[in-house]
Amino acid sequence: MEFDLRTCDAAYYFVLNFMNMSPEEYIAELNIICENDFELFMDRNFERIKNVDISDIKVLAFHIVGSLDDCNEIKSTGLMNLQEVLKRKTILASLIKKQDIIFNIDNKIVSYGGREVDIDYEKYRGKYFSYGIDENLKSVAHRLYYDYCVNGFLINDNIFGYTSRIHERPEFLMTLSKIFPEVKSVEDYWIENSVSYRIDFYANLDQIHRFNFELDEHCERPDDDIQVKKWMLTHANERANNALSEQYIYINDDCIIPPHQIISYTRI
């Protein structure tokens, strides 16, 4: 089974498939019997929902990049988290290193011109800084040791309106240039020479952060699988009714999306 929110139609057919209902049966149950109350719909069909096996479900999503090599690096390595990207001999790591900026990820240090700077996020966490070098170091440390996972979108109907212009260059360059002005030239080069791609992929449930499926309200039935199912059905119903236009996906920190899980590369 595939959980797919990328289009309204895909979300609608997910609900039908999940519930094993025909369109007529679904409409009668939801619209007539439950009077469009989706919570009541799920309560009435709780036993049916409980018995659905989601262990092998594929969650479809997409990642947006500005690529300098038509995604050849990603085709070879898959989608890697930021730590892995900086540890390996990648395009991003190489261009940053040319500016004499070297990351020692394991020891939580960045060196520049022979000077070492501590980027251990735990030493910055919870501290308040006025805007300046410490605040910017905190931002870099946060991105490297707290928010470094592969992420993307389950839905985004307006990629080009995303505030940090992720379709032009790696967002990390924007963060890093606030500390090292030399990185601005790398960012400008990337923007000028990159081609924007949408990379569609799938992830298995065990590859996704569980907080991805947290509900706004307290789950009355705290069983983990039930909460995930409820989250999926609720969001699919909203998307099917064109009431949801953006939703993120966060892959587990230590997880790489391998090449065989990438579905397509589309120039945008």
Side-chain angles (χ1 to χ4, degrees), residues 126-140:
K127 294 183 178 179
Y128 172 78
F129 301 104
S130 59
Y131 188 77
I133 186 66
D134 285 337
E135 181 64 30
N136 290 329
L137 280 171
K138 180 181 178 181
S139 296
V140 171

Side-chain angles (χ1 to χ4, degrees), residues 70-202:
D70 289 322
C71 299
N72 286 323
E73 190 171 83
I74 294 173
K75 290 174 183 178
S76 173
T77 64
L79 292 169
M80 297 187 293
N81 65 47
L82 182 58
Q83 288 191 5
E84 285 298 319
V85 168
L86 293 176
K87 282 180 178 181
R88 303 191 188 193
K89 293 181 179 179
T90 61
I91 296 172
L92 179 61
S94 297
L95 287 175
I96 291 174
K97 190 174 181 180
K98 284 183 179 179
Q99 303 301 317
D100 203 20
I101 300 166
I102 301 172
F103 284 94
N104 186 326
I105 299 298
D106 293 335
N107 291 320
K108 301 178 181 179
I109 289 171
V110 58
S111 62
Y112 172 65
R115 183 173 66 93
E116 293 186 344
V117 180
D118 192 338
I119 49 171
D120 185 348
Y121 181 61
E122 292 303 319
K123 296 178 181 177
Y124 294 97
R125 193 173 186 174
K127 294 183 178 179
Y128 172 78
F129 301 104
S130 59
Y131 188 77
I133 186 66
D134 285 337
E135 181 64 30
N136 290 329
L137 280 171
K138 180 181 178 181
S139 296
V140 171
H142 179 275
R143 189 70 181 87
L144 279 173
Y145 297 101
Y146 186 78
D147 183 26
Y148 60 93
C149 68
V150 175
N151 52 47
F153 298 101
L154 294 167
I155 316 165
N156 190 316
D157 292 337
N158 184 22
I159 288 299
F160 297 111
Y162 196 74
T163 54
S164 59
R165 295 155 44 207
I166 53 175
H167 63 285
E168 295 181 333
R169 48 84 183 99
E171 192 176 41
F172 184 62
L173 288 175
M174 179 181 67
T175 305
L176 195 60
S177 65
K178 293 177 181 178
I179 302 175
F180 305 114
E182 293 82 0
V183 173
K184 187 66 171 63
S185 64
V186 177
E187 184 178 19
D188 291 342
Y189 171 82
W190 205 298
I191 290 171
E192 183 177 347
N193 293 279
S194 68
V195 175
S196 300
Y197 279 89
R198 167 176 163 152
I199 303 173
D200 286 75
F201 67 94
Y202 74 84

